[in-house]
């Protein structure tokens, strides 16, 4: 990987700033601040995998389903025998799963019973601007807001989570996140595993104090303290659907696993042990054109991948571990499946899943550059886009409704970049075209000192949206930019 002189100088500049807190970049990703748990932790693979409850609409009519979620504090048992205070949609972590239908309007009333303002964003939603969760569209304590989702989009695994300006990291850490699954006729017609064999898996890391609380580091307001946040906040316990290193008993049959990386900052590289195939069928933006058999899946914060695993490849009694190859020790463990019984399986993974249009770069109206770098803001170090911190008074791009555009994203260190409103396709990574057919995404990982070109078409709605880093501490440290579709 080549690092330009400019990038090298920039990295050295950051290194100098970080040396204040005893860290040094030396051209590498900033050292993560791993919060060590001091609570007693369970033996991995002893806690059963919980499944989030499925929300029920309180009203439906010919066009619309109406839901209501109440954001409130609750105490839940995450570590056996300890009570952990959380902030949750309906007091749950993860929040209730919303199962919605493509093209069917879905209205979610979010009532805020917390003592802090919130913002809710439907990640992956093709949503009008007033319901997209712009970071300053606050719902104050005691108030509520109706988020209207037309869902004129294909089937996909989406999720909703807090998006409050400067506070998304701590508010998601406390539990404000849940699944939002969209289906459609095309997907329903496929013989993919369904029902109990369609399993959403929200993976995130947290740390625990002896009393069971999940402390988030104090806000880094002073110089020095802020630098400790530069890499993002990392926990040492891997949770799946809110349970530490859980285990799930499975049939000898195919399962559709919907992986979501709901971590603040941690990237995973998922693989099965003692080996096994993952058949990728969908990404952030729904079904791929054709399944791809892989032996590992990399997942940066905010990204989703759906994979089918056929547990008939194992014997009854076998344990199949889901490992994280990106880490070692306890953080290399994610969860474990235990193959419990033979069972009938009528599912299949068809050779053709969907049709995915390829956006043509020759039709792009404009190419824009966005550089994701650290820099100085308000006298201390922060994360910037094109040298500027997030400022709600500034619009950084004005794409025209209906236009295709190429956005060239360049990083200093690794950043998972998320674009609201417009799903995109990756055109190139480090100058190379990705192999395989195009797929729709909404979050893409920029590795260290890398340029990724994405191509997108702005459809549906005019208005103000954001592009930002989905490392939530980077986002809170101003790595966000407003664009307005005109
Ligand atoms: Cu970042």
């Amino acid at each position: 990987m080549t690092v330009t002189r400019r990038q090298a100088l920039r990295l050295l500049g950051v290194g100098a700033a970080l040396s204040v807190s005893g860290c040094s970049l030396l051209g590498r990703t900033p050292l993560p601040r791993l919060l060590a748990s001091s609570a007693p932790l369970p033996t991995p693979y002893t806690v059963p995998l919980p499944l989030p409850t499925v929300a029920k609409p309180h009203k439906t009519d010919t066009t619309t389903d109406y839901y209501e979620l109440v954001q409130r504090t609750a105490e839940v048992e995450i570590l056996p025998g300890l009570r952990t205070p959380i902030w949750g949609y309906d007091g749950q972590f993860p929040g209730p799963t919303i199962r919605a239908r493509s093209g069917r309007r879905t209205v979610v009333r979010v009532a805020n019973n917390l003592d802090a303002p919130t913002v809710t964003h439907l990640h992956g939603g093709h949503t009008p601007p007033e319901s997209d969760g712009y970071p300053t569209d606050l719902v104050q304590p005691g108030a509520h807001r109706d988020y209207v989702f037309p869902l004129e989009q294909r089937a996909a695994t989406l999720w909703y989570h807090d998006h409050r300006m400067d506070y998304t990291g701590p508010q998601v850490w406390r539990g404000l996140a849940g699944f939002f699954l969209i289906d459609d006729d095309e997907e329903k017609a496929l013989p993919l595993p369904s029902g109990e064999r369609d399993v959403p898996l929200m993976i995130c890391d947290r740390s625990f104090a002896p009393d069971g609380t999940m402390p988030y580091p104090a806000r880094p307001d002073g110089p020095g303290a802020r630098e400790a946040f530069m890499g993002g906040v990392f926990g040492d316990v891997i949770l799946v659907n809110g349970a530490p290193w859980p285990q799930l008993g499975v049939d000898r049959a195919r399962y559709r696993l919907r992986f979501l990386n709901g971590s603040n900052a941690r990237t995973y590289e998922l693989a099965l042990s003692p080996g096994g195939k993952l058949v990728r069928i969908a990404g952030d933006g729904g079904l791929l054109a054709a399944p791809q058999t892989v032996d590992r899946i990399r997942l940066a914060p905010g990204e989703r991948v759906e994979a089918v695993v056929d547990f008939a490849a194992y014997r009854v009694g076998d344990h199949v571990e889901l490992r994280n190859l990106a880490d070692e020790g306890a953080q290399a463990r994610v969860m474990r499946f235990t193959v419990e019984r033979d069972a009938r399986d009528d599912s299949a993974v068809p050779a053709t899943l969907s049709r995915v249009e390829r956006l043509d770069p020759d039709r792009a109206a404009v190419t824009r550059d966005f550089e994701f770098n650290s820099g100085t803001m308000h006298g201390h170090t922060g994360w910037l886009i094109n040298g500027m911190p997030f400022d709600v008074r500034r619009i950084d791009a004005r794409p025209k409704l209906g236009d295709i555009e190429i956005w060239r994203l360049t990083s200093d260190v690794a950043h998972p970049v998320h674009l609201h409103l417009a799903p995109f396709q990756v055109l190139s990574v480090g100058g190379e075209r990705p192999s395989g057919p195009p797929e729709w995404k909404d979050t893409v990982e920029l590795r260290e000192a890398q340029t990724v070109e994405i191509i997108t078409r702005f459809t549906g709605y005019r208005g103000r949206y954001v592009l930002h880093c989905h490392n939530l501490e980077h986002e809170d440290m101003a790595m966000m930019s407003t664009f307005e579709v005109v």
Side-chain angles (χ1 to χ4, degrees):
M1 185 170 304
T2 56
V3 179
T4 65
R5 181 181 149 73
R6 195 158 52 111
Q7 284 164 336
L9 285 173
R10 195 177 293 128
L11 288 167
L12 285 172
V14 181
L18 276 184
S19 66
V20 174
S21 57
C23 309
S24 174
L25 268 176
L26 300 175
R28 293 181 51 78
T29 303
L31 292 172
R33 179 193 171 99
L34 179 72
L35 299 172
S37 290
S38 42
L41 301 177
T43 305
Y45 317 138
T46 55
V47 176
L49 175 79
L51 293 175
T53 60
V54 175
K56 289 192 182 65
H58 67 83
K59 188 174 100 181
T60 72
D61 59 31
T62 51
T63 59
T64 308
D65 297 322
Y66 299 86
Y67 292 86
E68 187 166 334
L69 297 176
V70 180
Q71 298 174 313
R72 59 181 178 84
T73 58
E75 285 198 349
V76 297
E77 185 171 318
I78 297 175
L79 301 180
L82 285 176
R83 308 298 294 173
T84 297
I86 60 149
W87 291 7
Y89 292 91
D90 284 359
Q92 297 171 37
F93 168 50
T97 297
I98 292 179
R99 281 192 169 264
R101 187 98 178 136
S102 170
R104 206 170 147 73
R105 196 165 161 269
T106 298
V107 177
V108 181
R109 171 166 294 187
V110 177
N112 181 358
N113 280 8
L114 298 167
D115 60 6
T118 64
V119 173
T120 298
H121 169 59
L122 176 58
H123 183 129
H126 189 61
T127 304
E130 60 277 10
S131 288
D132 193 54
Y134 191 80
T136 50
D137 286 348
L138 302 177
V139 180
Q140 295 294 346
H144 67 260
R145 185 181 183 108
D146 289 338
Y147 291 90
V148 178
F149 304 118
L151 303 184
E152 299 289 348
Q153 57 188 111
R154 59 205 298 262
T157 298
L158 277 55
W159 61 305
Y160 61 91
H161 62 77
D162 190 72
H163 211 281
R164 177 187 169 198
M165 187 166 100
D166 297 344
Y167 291 88
T168 295
Q171 299 198 163
V172 170
W173 182 272
R174 291 185 180 114
L176 292 176
F179 277 102
F180 192 112
L181 310 179
I182 304 177
D183 68 19
D184 63 12
D185 293 338
E186 177 193 40
E187 193 187 279
K188 270 226 168 339
L190 298 176
L192 295 169
S194 61
E196 286 182 0
R197 296 182 189 159
D198 175 354
V199 186
L201 299 170
M202 179 189 288
I203 305 172
C204 59
D205 54 332
R206 297 289 187 273
S207 292
F208 296 86
D211 59 359
T213 56
M214 300 188 292
Y216 187 86
R219 275 191 69 73
D221 287 329
R226 201 169 180 93
E227 273 71 23
F229 267 61
M230 285 299 279
V233 174
F234 290 74
D236 60 354
V237 178
I238 309 299
L239 304 180
V240 184
N241 294 345
W245 303 292
Q247 82 95 33
L248 176 69
V250 293
D251 297 337
R252 286 188 71 240
R254 288 182 199 84
Y255 280 71
R256 175 181 186 168
L257 305 177
R258 301 177 186 247
F259 298 113
L260 155 65
N261 184 350
S263 301
N264 283 35
R266 183 181 293 282
T267 293
Y268 300 85
E269 201 150 311
L270 303 173
L272 298 173
S273 171
K277 294 297 179 199
L278 295 150
V279 181
R280 245 180 119 238
I281 57 165
D284 300 336
L287 290 173
L288 310 180
Q292 297 171 345
T293 300
V294 297
D295 56 16
R296 59 179 67 184
I297 288 171
R298 197 171 163 89
L299 212 58
E303 285 189 305
R304 287 88 67 214
V305 162
E306 297 179 39
V308 172
V309 173
D310 189 356
F311 290 103
Y314 307 92
R315 287 166 306 187
V316 170
D318 278 358
H319 295 304
V320 184
E321 218 185 327
L322 183 68
R323 307 265 315 167
N324 169 27
L325 304 182
D327 245 301
E328 293 171 350
Q331 294 85 50
R333 297 184 168 128
V334 180
M335 66 175 288
R336 192 174 76 179
F337 303 93
T338 300
V339 183
E340 287 183 341
R341 61 194 92 76
D342 289 307
R344 180 184 162 146
D345 185 3
D346 298 325
S347 74
V349 180
T352 300
L353 295 167
S354 184
R355 217 180 58 79
V356 178
E357 169 202 8
R358 185 187 291 275
L359 290 183
D360 180 1
D362 289 339
R363 292 179 54 208
V366 63
T367 298
R368 301 181 197 269
D369 282 288
F370 295 91
E371 294 202 10
F372 292 76
N373 295 320
S374 62
T376 304
M377 52 176 281
H378 317 308
H380 41 58
T381 310
W383 293 103
L384 314 175
I385 299 178
N386 286 343
M388 293 176 286
F390 182 52
D391 185 339
V392 296
R393 296 161 300 184
R394 197 185 69 236
I395 307 278
D396 294 323
R398 287 192 170 79
K400 289 200 191 76
L401 188 69
D403 270 4
I404 292 175
E405 297 201 357
I406 295 170
W407 287 17
R408 199 154 46 206
L409 317 170
T410 300
S411 61
D412 52 358
V413 298
H415 299 289
V417 173
H418 173 45
L419 176 63
H420 287 217
L421 177 69
F424 58 77
Q425 296 171 357
V426 174
L427 272 184
S428 73
V429 176
E432 311 230 339
R433 305 223 145 215
S435 58
E439 71 172 88
W440 293 110
K441 288 186 62 60
D442 57 51
T443 306
V444 65
E445 184 190 20
L446 311 183
R447 308 286 283 263
E448 180 185 319
Q450 189 176 62
T451 295
V452 172
E453 288 179 297
I454 60 171
I455 183 166
T456 183
R457 181 163 50 205
F458 294 90
T459 61
Y461 310 101
R462 291 189 170 84
R464 198 174 60 151
Y465 294 91
V466 289
L467 163 80
H468 64 88
C469 181
H470 217 286
N471 176 316
L472 300 185
E473 283 69 41
H474 291 188
E475 176 180 345
D476 285 344
M477 291 166 77
M479 194 169 243
M480 181 138 58
S481 170
T482 300
F483 65 93
E484 184 182 8
V485 181
V486 295

